[in-house]
Amino acid sequence: MFARAATPVAVIITLAAFDGAAAQTASQPPDTMAARVEACTPCHGNKGEGTSDVYFPRLAGKPAGYLYNQLLAFRSGRRKYPPMNYLLEFLPDPYLEAMAEYFAGQHPPLPQPAPSEVSKDVLALGEQLATSGDAGRNIPACVSCHGPGLAGMQPGIPGLLGLRAPYISAQLGAWRYGTRTAKSPDCMQQVAGHLTEADVTAVSAWLATRPAPANPAPVPKGTYALPFGCGSQPN
Amino acid sequence: MGSKLSIAFLVLAAFTTAAPAQDKSPNNANDIIARGEYLARAGDCTACHTAPEGRLFAGGRAMPTPFGTLYTSNITPDPDTGIGKWSADDFYKTMHSGRFPDGGLIYPAMPFASYTKVTRADSDAIYAYLRSIAPVSQKNKPHELRFPYDNRQLILGWRTLFFSEGEFKPDPKKSAEWNRGAYLVEGLGHCGMCHSPINALGGTSQSDAFKGGLIPMQNWYAPSLTSNREAGLGDWSIKDITDLLQTGVSMRGVVYGPMAEVVHNSLQYLNDEDTRAMAVYLKGIAEGSSPPPAATALPTTESSLLISLGKTVYDKHCASCHGTQGEGKPPHWPPLANNQSIEMQSAVNPIRMVLNGGYPPGTKGNPMPYGMPPFAGLLSDNEIAAVVSYIRTAWGNRGTPVSAREANELRSAPLN
């Protein structure tokens, strides 16, 4: 009927994947996660490395627990981005877990840090907030949770490297305005609630200029204690 | 089927009237509850009456309509905020007549126009099941309907035109299997709620049942289940139909959009006999004859340019999954050649498919479906129109070209 490349190999794969008689003549897509997430890769990159669009985040190497929490939040509509809310709507938990594991297990190199468009003073404020916080304004250091190397901690805290400033600032803004929430207690909401517009610009810009560390992998669970509790990081 | 149901009814009557201590048939009571749970899935009560991340059957799910937003009700057995004080008679009145216990009128977004066909025994089983679940104290969210639709008396007019009350009547000339399928499709399955033309009053008329229509607000076209030029399944094998209903994918095509929801929330839970019965019925109602495709509005030279651009786009972005000849790698990467759901007169669905991509639902039979990326951000209106025109006319497909304006209009269609 159609011109098909029905090689013997394809037939064997088909037989293994299907018992329907009709399937024997058709070839099948590869039985891999890579083929199953082809709906995601135009936006997130083939290995989750991100794309040229600064609002499309890198997924590769982030803790699987963190990625899974995000997929659950997108599926229920609690975290909003309509194209993704739509794609995930009818996918079951174990499949979302498998997608999270898949991207957590990819290790393409981190991108070159972006040249910064903000002044030295702004970068200095960003560095100060990220590494020491501002006790007077109740702002904890970002590193106190995201780790001294900003590589995150298993299972629920993401690294903050390899992201572009517009994405980071959009996320912090979403927490401030309540359009992004995490499991309660939502510690990031408390953190972001204390940041001003200027703080957000500064810390986002500084984070985006960080060079890739030798080992960008998230540290194991329990490597350090958090300054206060986070619902997405069970202790 | 009939005798089994009447036995179930007698048992239930005993169960609901006898004091618990005297009940000698706890297993049968459990059977009825299990049956009620199954029927509640078949009627999709479960998903419609549960909000995302909300408690089971506590309601609060938003239903956008052209008249404003309705919120589903708490139907847990909580006495104050749910239906804990309702009797089996009250419940049957809602299912069968679309009225609250006090006689008040229920909005037809609750599909009582289909549920009216449900037997008393099945209604009682669902009632028994709903009494067995955990009560949740959660007040119903008030509907947000615009004037004058917030006046429930208006429902009377709708009922006069579109509602005919009455249980399903088997057709003695057809097989028991056909009748079982008809009972499920016309009754609990409420397939006609989407698969019938919706007129300006938000109603579907009996004579147009299953003739297909555009779903208001959602901007998806629910194809005719009777025309073989749409989703009529006259020339499908029973296995392809049961695969589609149970797993969401088949050798002939896949489900997406609102139909993915129906398979995900409801049809995947039906047993093999009921699925087969629905397939037999659906194949049976397909009519052979159909009007020829409408002539295209586009001049021929323009449309041939469009189609050659469409082939370029297709070879670059689509052929890796759907094949250079539209053969796909079914069931996971659906074939586009000889696929009715692309050739229909309404091009809304294929355009939206290309704009939004999608995953078929994850089901027991297909727990890790393959997906299609959205192209809204990658292709211009012209390229979308071109590629959709191409797949609608290539490889012997008998659809018509579409314009860039149609593609553009659907960019703003809601995604949920």
Side-chain angles (χ1 to χ4, degrees):
Chain A
M1 186 167 64
F2 302 118
R4 280 206 191 93
T7 63
V9 180
V11 172
I12 291 165
I13 295 171
T14 304
L15 285 174
F18 266 100
D19 28 83
Q24 290 177 21
T25 51
S27 60
Q28 287 297 299
D31 188 7
T32 59
M33 278 308 290
R36 287 183 168 85
V37 298
E38 278 185 48
C40 322
T41 49
C43 294
H44 291 291
N46 277 336
K47 299 189 159 208
E49 69 275 18
T51 53
S52 58
D53 189 310
V54 293
Y55 287 102
F56 292 0
R58 175 185 177 90
L59 306 177
K62 289 182 179 171
Y66 168 77
L67 293 176
Y68 180 52
N69 285 337
Q70 304 316 306
L71 294 176
L72 292 176
F74 280 116
R75 186 184 62 189
S76 71
R78 184 159 47 76
R79 189 172 169 186
K80 284 193 182 55
Y81 179 64
M84 276 192 56
N85 300 139
Y86 176 75
L87 286 179
L88 300 179
E89 198 171 355
F90 305 115
L91 301 182
D93 294 357
Y95 190 25
L96 297 185
E97 241 175 314
M99 286 182 169
E101 296 281 352
Y102 173 77
F103 285 111
Q106 300 299 313
H107 303 291
L110 284 167
Q112 289 297 316
S116 180
E117 288 153 15
V118 301
S119 73
K120 277 214 175 76
D121 290 351
V122 173
L123 284 180
L125 170 62
E127 173 166 19
Q128 191 225 320
L129 290 171
T131 57
S132 344
D134 184 341
R137 291 195 289 139
N138 264 322
I139 301 172
C142 313
V143 295
S144 64
C145 287
H146 290 278
L150 290 165
M153 177 156 68
Q154 298 286 359
I157 300 193
L160 295 180
L161 300 174
L163 301 172
R164 267 77 50 101
Y167 174 77
I168 302 174
S169 110
Q171 299 310 311
L172 294 171
W175 260 302
R176 290 173 66 207
Y177 297 114
T179 52
R180 178 170 175 183
T181 57
K183 285 187 193 164
S184 153
D186 186 355
C187 57
M188 262 317 287
Q189 200 266 321
Q190 299 177 41
V191 173
H194 290 129
L195 300 177
T196 63
E197 207 72 57
D199 294 337
V200 169
T201 308
V203 77
S204 306
W206 184 78
L207 285 168
T209 61
R210 293 295 79 209
N215 180 10
V219 299
K221 181 176 177 183
T223 303
Y224 50 87
L226 307 185
F228 48 92
C230 299
S232 36
Q233 182 72 4
N235 36 32
Chain B
M1 179 195 88
S3 66
K4 222 164 123 198
L5 285 180
S6 43
I7 292 168
F9 175 49
L10 287 177
V11 170
L12 183 82
F15 169 62
T16 46
T17 51
Q22 298 169 325
D23 180 21
K24 295 201 187 87
S25 50
N27 285 334
N28 286 335
N30 285 339
D31 284 353
I32 290 176
I33 289 172
R35 187 171 160 70
E37 178 173 10
Y38 176 82
L39 295 168
R41 292 279 196 191
D44 201 10
C45 328
T46 317
C48 227
H49 280 278
T50 306
E53 295 193 332
R55 306 273 306 271
L56 187 66
F57 289 115
R61 185 174 152 162
M63 289 186 68
T65 77
F67 318 112
T69 303
L70 287 164
Y71 294 93
T72 60
S73 324
N74 180 344
I75 55 171
T76 71
D78 184 69
D80 300 317
T81 61
I83 59 169
K85 290 182 184 143
W86 291 33
S87 66
D89 283 345
D90 291 338
F91 184 78
Y92 182 67
K93 190 163 163 188
T94 295
M95 294 283 284
H96 189 73
S97 315
R99 288 181 183 269
F100 289 108
D102 66 3
L105 299 170
I106 290 184
Y107 284 109
M110 157 77 188
F112 64 84
S114 304
Y115 297 158
T116 188
K117 306 220 167 181
V118 172
T119 62
R120 175 71 201 231
D122 280 356
S123 170
D124 284 350
I126 298 173
Y127 174 77
Y129 163 61
L130 289 174
R131 295 206 64 88
S132 76
I133 61 171
V136 177
S137 172
Q138 177 178 304
K139 280 214 172 66
N140 285 336
K141 216 169 155 175
H143 302 315
E144 292 159 6
L145 293 174
R146 280 188 303 280
F147 176 82
Y149 305 107
D150 51 352
N151 177 358
R152 284 186 185 262
Q153 284 316 108
L154 284 187
I155 301 172
L156 265 183
W158 183 92
R159 291 171 65 106
T160 317
L161 291 170
F162 306 117
F163 179 49
S164 69
E165 188 173 308
E167 277 189 20
F168 176 76
K169 298 233 173 13
D171 180 344
K173 295 195 293 295
K174 303 282 199 222
S175 68
E177 196 174 42
W178 188 98
N179 275 305
R180 174 70 181 162
Y183 173 69
L184 289 168
V185 167
E186 295 174 16
L188 279 174
H190 64 281
C191 316
M193 196 179 175
C194 296
H195 285 281
S196 302
I198 313 250
N199 51 55
L201 295 165
T204 63
S205 70
Q206 292 283 316
S207 59
D208 281 346
F210 305 123
K211 294 259 170 73
L214 194 71
I215 307 174
M217 303 308 285
Q218 303 193 357
N219 259 316
W220 282 104
Y221 181 79
S224 160
L225 293 177
T226 56
S227 161
N228 284 341
R229 286 196 40 78
E230 300 204 343
L233 303 172
D235 63 356
W236 285 44
S237 72
I238 293 290
K239 177 164 188 333
D240 287 339
I241 305 176
T242 55
D243 282 351
L244 183 83
L245 299 179
Q246 230 167 12
T247 70
V249 296
S250 79
M251 297 304 286
R252 296 291 298 268
V254 293
V255 298
Y256 49 84
M259 194 60 206
E261 176 166 10
V262 173
V263 170
H264 178 262
N265 294 341
S266 174
L267 299 180
Q268 67 159 316
Y269 297 100
L270 296 193
N271 63 35
D272 292 348
E273 296 77 65
D274 280 348
T275 310
R276 202 186 136 82
M278 287 175 79
V280 165
Y281 171 71
L282 289 169
K283 194 172 160 73
I285 60 171
E287 307 156 345
S289 66
S290 55
T296 169
L298 295 177
T300 25
T301 40
E302 215 171 287
S303 68
S304 70
L305 275 176
L306 193 66
I307 284 166
S308 79
L309 170 63
K311 179 170 171 17
T312 312
V313 174
Y314 183 85
D315 289 341
K316 177 157 176 225
H317 292 289
C318 324
S320 60
C321 294
H322 293 292
T324 48
Q325 298 302 310
E327 74 278 19
K329 291 185 195 291
H332 295 296
W333 286 341
L336 301 183
N338 189 27
N339 182 329
Q340 292 150 277
S341 90
I342 312 173
E343 302 172 75
M344 296 184 294
Q345 190 170 346
S346 163
V348 163
N349 293 358
I351 294 174
R352 290 206 57 184
M353 201 62 226
V354 175
L355 286 170
N356 309 137
Y359 275 88
T363 55
K364 243 185 329 176
N366 186 31
M368 300 213 294
Y370 290 75
M372 164 158 160
F375 287 92
L378 290 172
L379 301 178
S380 67
D381 292 344
N382 207 30
E383 288 168 319
I384 305 247
V387 76
V388 172
S389 298
Y390 176 68
I391 62 173
R392 276 164 67 80
T393 53
W395 323 300
N397 280 355
R398 294 179 309 156
T400 51
V402 303
S403 69
R405 189 177 49 82
E406 287 173 83
N408 181 274
E409 280 168 3
L410 287 166
R411 283 187 186 269
S412 55
L415 278 175
N416 41 27

